[in-house]
Amino acid sequence: MPSITATTSPPALTPRRRALMDAALHVVADEGLRGLTHRAVDRQAGLPEGTCSAYFRTRQALQVAVAEHVAATLAADVDELATELVACSGEDERAVALTLALFERWLEERELIVAKLELSLEAPRNPEVAQTLTASRTRLVGVVDGILTRAEKQHDDGRAEALVASFDGLLIGALQKPPGERRPFLSTSLALVLHALTQP
């Protein structure tokens, strides 16, 4: 079973770092990683030019910091979901409802999810970003595997990983739909995926 132990955590966010990361997410969501520059982040955050580069000396350091921030935020959300799901082991409808609630919240945090997608595309060309995202995915797979085990669902090592990959696809699919169609799509799709991948 994959380990759920996190790799070295990114530095705790001071108010200034939080402002820079929030601004960076906004820039990536609007302009993609190509638009992620120190100047763009400073402008978005309303900070003097040179502030971002004082914290993240290179563009690579800035990209990795964003990847760490996204990974840590998503991991915290999944850990919280895992705790909630422990209390409803065997209640498939409740499990789907809790997972759906998290996905809906993620869709409302569009910048976070779009940044994750942008970083996922960058990862094959950027080993440091890839390492951060791989560690995050390993953690998420471990959490999902633990959920399946505690719920006494029949599964093997590949099912938890397939579920995590499926969740990524569902988020992409939901983002491409009009806002009014997202919840019905997620509700139906989550139930289908969870049933298909947790049954014998």
Side-chain angles (χ1 to χ4, degrees):
M1 182 177 73
S3 170
I4 63 172
T5 302
T7 55
T8 303
S9 299
L13 291 181
T14 62
R16 178 57 55 86
R17 282 182 177 270
R18 166 66 68 180
L20 290 170
M21 285 296 97
D22 287 347
L25 289 182
H26 186 90
V27 170
V28 173
D30 281 0
E31 303 178 34
L33 280 178
R34 289 184 179 181
L36 183 64
T37 65
H38 293 100
R39 287 184 178 181
V41 173
D42 286 337
R43 283 196 303 269
Q44 179 61 41
L47 295 170
E49 186 173 314
T51 302
C52 185
S53 61
Y55 284 83
F56 311 104
R57 297 300 301 171
T58 65
R59 187 169 182 275
Q60 172 69 1
L62 179 58
Q63 285 192 357
V64 171
V66 173
E68 289 176 341
H69 176 62
V70 169
T73 302
L74 295 176
D77 288 342
V78 172
D79 285 348
E80 183 178 344
L81 174 64
T83 300
E84 293 176 332
L85 291 177
V86 168
C88 66
S89 294
E91 299 178 43
D92 289 351
E93 290 186 7
R94 177 63 175 159
V96 171
L98 288 170
T99 307
L100 175 61
L102 174 59
F103 275 43
E104 289 182 319
R105 179 156 62 83
W106 278 347
L107 288 176
E108 292 174 358
E109 298 174 10
R110 171 183 167 273
E111 294 176 353
L112 178 70
I113 299 305
V114 173
K116 178 183 182 295
L117 298 177
E118 290 282 347
L119 290 162
S120 297
L121 294 174
E122 173 68 14
R125 300 183 295 271
N126 190 323
E128 285 189 84
V129 170
Q131 183 178 10
T132 298
L133 295 185
T134 298
S136 174
R137 176 172 286 267
T138 298
R139 178 180 177 80
L140 298 184
V141 170
V143 169
V144 171
D145 187 272
I147 292 169
L148 294 176
T149 299
R150 286 190 296 272
E152 298 181 347
K153 296 292 187 180
Q154 292 192 24
H155 69 286
D156 52 32
D157 291 342
R159 292 202 182 190
E161 188 165 4
L163 270 173
V164 171
S166 298
F167 293 162
D168 284 345
L170 291 181
L171 282 170
I172 294 172
L175 282 171
Q176 294 174 341
K177 291 187 173 295
E181 297 179 16
R182 290 173 184 173
R183 191 180 194 285
F185 168 77
L186 282 174
S187 181
T188 300
S189 300
L190 277 172
L192 289 172
V193 168
L194 288 171
H195 178 78
L197 289 175
T198 59
Q199 298 305 310

